[in-house]
Amino acid sequence: MTGENRLTLAVAGGRKTQSIVDACADNSKRRLLVTYTTTGQKELRERLNSTYGANSVEVIGWYSFLISHFVYPYLKAKYPHRTVQGFNFQYAVPRGAQEEQRYFDPQGNLTRAGLSRLAFHLARATAGAPYNRLSCIYDEIYFDEVQDLTGWDLELLKALFKSKLTVTLVGDIRQSVYETSYQDQKNKQYRGLKMIGWFREQEKTRKLQIHESLDNWRCRPEIIELANRLFAGNNKLSPAVSKQTEEYEHQGLFRITPNNVASYVRAHHPLSLRWSANCGKELQKICAFRNMGEVKGLTVDHALILPTDGMIQFLSSGISNLKEQTACKLYVAITRARFSVAFVLDDDVQTDQLQRWPTP
């Protein structure tokens, strides 16, 4: 008998992580919580510890999950001459590499690109032993930020769906700014925003129940309206709805010239965001910049964004022709803020979407 498998697709500010924390109130089940990023793991642990006390539920990263429950116990079944030496996150598997060369670097460390594939084939070589072992240790496994999984990760999820475990997935494909492996080409037709197609296929074959939540409890309506425009051309993504009704003295969407950035930062202490460390060097003495893709999960009152040229075109026209990853990163940046989002723009940029700050 298989477990009940569920997916919650919720927009930014949809209380995705909180839903996992709330589910852990029932301590009659043995649970494992898995998420890809170290930021996500830290947030889960902090929320769980503040709610239920230290070490109340086990939280683990995706790579640690694969190594601990698939590779370490069963590596000898397929590669008796190998041991788990370490994990090489940076190693690029050479083109044309043979199977074993995909899994191990020259020093014998496990590779990021080959880890999920190795885990899958070890499970197959042992007649599904890792899935049976997991079901003896846990009743439920939660995968937070599931949009970060890709390639052979999806094959492992399908196998877990058939196990005795209850598997719960939580994520927002609009926040597809990371991938567990950029080299893994398995299931490449489901990368990024196209992952919705994979979810629908699992639903159609009754392996997965999907619940979609479009309510955003974080951001003011005007912020959500701007974020929705980023994906207005994608008919598979429904627009989010703001449930934020709190008023604040500084709220809305703003434009700021570079020479007013210092005074804005002093006045409102925003989270300052840019594309990468190569951007905004002339402002970095004023702004404690963070990269847009690194702030998933954060909530702040105000955000200040240094837009790229493509983002400026979007702000000018109101129409998004942005590349998928750019749209996702801008979506993450915009939806961090509860009350206001400001963009650094030169005076000659034309846009009707943003108020000037300070007011002329």
Side-chain angles (χ1 to χ4, degrees), residues 18 21-22 42-57:
Q18 189 59 44
V21 175
D22 292 344
K42 181 174 181 287
E43 182 185 8
L44 266 173
R45 290 192 186 102
E46 287 176 350
R47 291 203 200 182
L48 288 162
N49 292 348
S50 65
T51 306
Y52 307 115
N55 304 316
S56 54
V57 183

Side-chain angles (χ1 to χ4, degrees), residues 216-233:
N216 177 296
W217 299 91
R218 178 189 297 149
C219 310
R220 285 192 53 79
E222 56 269 37
I223 296 175
I224 291 305
E225 287 172 14
L226 181 65
N228 283 339
R229 287 185 207 131
L230 288 166
F231 305 104

Side-chain angles (χ1 to χ4, degrees), residues 230-269:
L230 288 166
F231 305 104
N234 190 324
N235 58 15
K236 295 183 179 179
L237 297 177
S238 302
V241 178
S242 173
K243 296 293 184 178
Q244 219 279 56
T245 58
E246 189 177 350
E247 297 287 329
Y248 197 79
E249 59 183 356
H250 179 68
Q251 60 188 36
L253 303 173
F254 299 91
R255 59 178 298 166
I256 301 167
T257 57
N259 61 341
N260 282 320
V261 167
S263 56
Y264 186 83
V265 169
R266 285 195 300 269
H268 301 295
H269 309 288

